[in-house]
């Protein structure tokens, strides 16, 4: 059955309404992206300095000579994977990419044990792993669009307590790193225990703090200093990862909404062309009928 002119008109109006919504959402997400980028830029300098200090502690052998709850040489019997996703949809391929790359990362880093737990920040990841029957030991939903340090501190405190209580022996954070407004890359970083592997590439991220000496006079004691420095180090890395992931989420959502608006514009163009052709055909038919009737009256 041929589509009527009124049906085409209805589809055009409906698509225009959809485009109006997606365009507004794109503007909102772009605004959030601009805000969180300002926060991220300022925070990166702080993170680089914290990493630099911990790296120098490692070089001076203080990390090896002292003990802390966040350092451990216990055998790796269970691994924790902190997965950062969004709580909602309409973020393009963001969530599917994070989950796909995380699953691959888990397969590569299970080492000699197949026992692991999922710690999900974001409802999409939590729901996905629950449906698969995975051991979701912790979930946190409702991370703000522009996360604050105090908000993430609750997550860090819970995670570190789980580590100290032996619920897992090693922690990796899996998230999408923001590259630019149209692309992001997956990162899987070891956070706990704090050792040479988890410090990883901190050397390359040091700022001018790298001029610090590698020997220290410590008061009141090395252990007391590490009780302050190492939790702050872990907090800064996990907060930085969540902030980075949220930036990538907003960028993906903005791109997805722009793509939806562009597709709606293309569809409207096609529908308007179809409408004009149908209208022209209807007018031609009416003219033909009028002409035919006039000829019949003249006979």
């Amino acid at each position: 059955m041929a589509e009527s002119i009124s049906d085409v008109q209805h589809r055009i109006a409906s698509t225009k309404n959809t485009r109006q919504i997606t365009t507004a959402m794109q503007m909102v997400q772009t605004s959030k992206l601009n805000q969180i980028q300002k926060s991220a830029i300022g925070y990166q300098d702080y993170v680089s300095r914290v990493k630099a200090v911990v790296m120098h502690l490692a070089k001076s052998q203080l990390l090896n000579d002292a003990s802390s709850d966040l350092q451990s040489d216990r055998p790796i019997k269970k691994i924790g994977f902190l997965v950062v996703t969004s709580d909602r949809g309409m973020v393009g391929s963001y969530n599917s990419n994070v989950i796909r790359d995380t699953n691959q990362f888990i397969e590569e880093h299970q080492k000699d044990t197949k026992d692991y737990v999922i710690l999900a920040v974001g409802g999409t990841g939590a729901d996905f792993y629950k449906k698969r029957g995975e051991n979701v030991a912790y979930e946190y939903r409702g991370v703000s669009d522009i996360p604050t340090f105090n908000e993430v501190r609750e997550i860090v405190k819970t995670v570190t307590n789980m580590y100290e209580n032996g619920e897992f022996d090693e922690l990796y954070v899996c998230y999408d790193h923001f590259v630019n407004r149209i692309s992001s890359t997956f990162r899987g970083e070891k956070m706990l225990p704090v050792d040479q592997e988890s410090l990883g590439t901190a050397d390359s991220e040091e700022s001018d703090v790298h001029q610090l000496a590698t020997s220290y006079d410590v008061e009141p004691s090395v252990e007391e200093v590490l009780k302050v420095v190492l939790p702050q180090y872990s907090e800064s890395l996990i907060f930085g990862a969540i902030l980075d992931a949220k930036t990538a989420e907003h960028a993906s959502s903005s791109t997805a909404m722009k793509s939806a608006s562009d597709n709606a514009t293309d569809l409207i163009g096609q529908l308007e062309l179809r409408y004009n052709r149908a209208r022209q055909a209807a007018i031609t038919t009416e003219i033909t009928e009028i002409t035919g009737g006039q000829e019949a009256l003249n006979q």
Side-chain angles (χ1 to χ4, degrees):
M1 182 177 176
E3 192 174 30
S4 67
I5 293 178
S6 61
D7 289 337
V8 177
Q9 284 182 305
H10 177 73
R11 289 191 62 189
I12 291 173
S14 176
T15 307
K16 284 183 176 179
N17 289 337
T18 300
R19 183 179 62 180
Q20 191 173 16
I21 293 171
T22 55
T23 300
M25 292 180 67
Q26 178 194 347
M27 295 174 63
V28 170
Q29 291 303 319
T30 301
S31 174
K32 291 178 180 178
L33 176 60
N34 292 335
Q35 292 179 53
I36 200 170
Q37 278 187 289
K38 292 178 182 178
S39 300
I41 290 173
Y43 188 73
Q44 287 306 315
D45 184 57
Y46 166 76
V47 171
S48 66
R49 292 175 182 272
V50 172
K51 283 186 176 182
V53 170
V54 176
M55 276 299 299
H56 282 288
L57 289 175
K59 288 179 180 178
S60 65
Q61 299 300 309
L62 289 182
L63 291 182
N64 297 331
D65 297 340
S67 61
S68 167
D69 292 336
L70 300 183
Q71 298 171 273
S72 176
D73 56 359
R74 66 195 188 208
I76 307 302
K77 297 180 180 179
K78 183 180 291 187
I79 304 175
F81 295 96
L82 180 65
V83 186
V84 185
T85 60
S86 73
D87 287 307
R88 55 186 176 79
M90 294 187 290
V91 291
S93 60
Y94 172 77
N95 287 318
S96 59
N97 288 343
V98 173
I99 292 172
R100 180 199 63 213
D101 292 335
T102 297
N103 291 339
Q104 182 177 349
F105 186 82
I106 290 174
E107 291 180 4
E108 295 172 354
H109 288 77
Q110 284 181 295
K111 298 181 180 180
D112 298 328
T113 175
K114 294 184 178 180
D115 197 4
Y116 65 91
V117 295
I118 299 294
L119 299 90
V121 176
T124 303
D127 293 339
F128 173 82
Y129 286 107
K130 282 182 176 180
K131 288 179 181 178
R132 288 187 59 183
E134 300 284 1
N135 182 7
V136 180
Y138 171 75
E139 63 177 285
Y140 186 95
R141 300 171 187 256
V143 175
S144 302
D145 289 327
I146 314 295
T148 63
F149 191 82
N150 286 334
E151 178 183 5
V152 175
R153 181 173 289 166
E154 176 186 340
I155 300 174
V156 177
K157 183 177 180 181
T158 302
V159 170
T160 53
N161 285 341
M162 293 173 69
Y163 171 77
E164 292 167 4
N165 293 335
E167 295 187 41
F168 51 84
D169 307 298
E170 196 171 53
L171 176 67
Y172 290 90
V173 178
C174 304
Y175 65 99
D176 252 19
H177 163 64
F178 172 78
V179 177
N180 54 49
R181 289 175 180 259
I182 60 174
S183 66
S184 59
T185 58
F186 175 79
R187 280 188 177 179
E189 299 177 343
K190 182 179 178 182
M191 296 293 181
L192 294 172
V194 179
D195 54 20
Q196 292 296 335
E197 182 183 351
S198 63
L199 291 173
T201 58
D203 262 333
S204 63
E205 299 182 18
E206 293 180 24
S207 60
D208 55 355
V209 185
H210 75 278
Q211 300 295 336
L212 290 172
T214 55
S215 60
Y216 296 87
D217 293 325
V218 181
E219 292 184 1
S221 67
V222 174
E223 286 74 14
E224 291 300 319
V225 170
L226 291 181
K227 283 182 181 179
V228 176
V229 173
L230 293 186
Q232 190 173 5
Y233 171 74
S234 300
E235 287 177 355
S236 66
L237 291 189
I238 295 178
F239 176 66
I242 293 175
L243 194 65
D244 197 359
K246 270 293 180 181
T247 307
E249 177 190 331
H250 292 320
S252 180
S253 181
S254 177
T255 301
M257 293 303 101
K258 183 181 185 305
S259 178
S261 298
D262 292 343
N263 290 338
T265 298
D266 292 340
L267 180 58
I268 289 169
Q270 296 172 15
L271 290 172
E272 286 179 340
L273 180 60
R274 188 186 305 175
Y275 170 78
N276 291 334
R277 286 175 177 173
R279 189 163 175 262
Q280 185 178 17
I283 293 172
T284 302
T285 301
E286 289 179 5
I287 293 174
T288 302
E289 290 175 352
I290 292 172
T291 302
Q294 185 65 39
E295 290 178 355
L297 290 174
N298 293 334
Q299 290 179 356

